[in-house]
Amino acid sequence: VQLVESGGGLVQAGESLRLSCAASGFTFDDYAIGWFRQAPGKEREGVSCIRNSDGSTYLADSVKGRFTISSDYAKNTVYLQMNSLKPEDTAVYYCAAYDGRRLSNDPMALYEYDYWGQGTQVTVSS
């Protein structure tokens, strides 16, 4: 199983970035893919999740209206489109995966996820 994030960078407040998570080694359509972030000195938190089996999506309240998650089933890739970025969005962003065929209590909880990528840095300057 491999998850590879890309698309991070340095932007100014109000600008946009699109993160990609390329997945391999498992049946993409069966899995849920989540995006998490961790800012310096803070705990890792859930940002968004998509359950590929039925397309259900989840967004943290802090990013609703600004971020969108989507899957490209042909490319086995999940995207996180981030618009209207704020300095408080600065963090290392990780994608993660779990088998979506099992019942989950909270698709945005870290403990649900079995596989993790290495992360990509997003820095938003004011």
Side-chain angles (χ1 to χ4, degrees):
V1 174
Q2 192 172 23
L3 299 168
V4 180
E5 303 97 333
S6 62
L10 171 63
V11 296
Q12 293 187 335
E15 294 185 340
S16 299
L17 279 174
R18 188 178 76 161
L19 304 184
S20 300
C21 174
S24 60
F26 57 86
T27 304
F28 186 75
D29 291 13
D30 289 339
Y31 271 66
I33 308 291
W35 283 98
F36 296 80
R37 66 186 181 187
Q38 188 165 18
K42 295 188 176 182
E43 293 186 353
R44 194 171 297 190
E45 63 176 359
V47 175
S48 187
C49 167
I50 186 165
R51 196 161 56 196
N52 285 331
S53 58
D54 62 8
S56 300
T57 60
Y58 305 84
L59 284 169
D61 288 342
S62 59
V63 304
K64 282 181 180 176
R66 300 188 298 124
F67 291 13
T68 304
I69 191 169
S70 62
S71 284
D72 185 328
Y73 295 88
K75 296 183 178 180
N76 283 9
T77 299
V78 172
Y79 300 102
L80 185 68
Q81 178 67 43
M82 307 187 296
N83 298 329
S84 302
L85 283 161
K86 303 176 181 180
E88 51 263 45
D89 294 317
T90 295
V92 177
Y93 283 70
Y94 300 89
C95 69
Y98 74 88
D99 191 333
R101 293 170 294 180
R102 72 165 189 261
L103 293 176
S104 63
N105 293 322
D106 182 358
M108 295 279 279
L110 274 72
Y111 65 79
E112 296 283 4
Y113 289 81
D114 302 310
Y115 307 106
W116 291 82
Q118 293 300 306
T120 185
Q121 176 70 46
V122 172
T123 303
V124 185
S125 63
S126 57

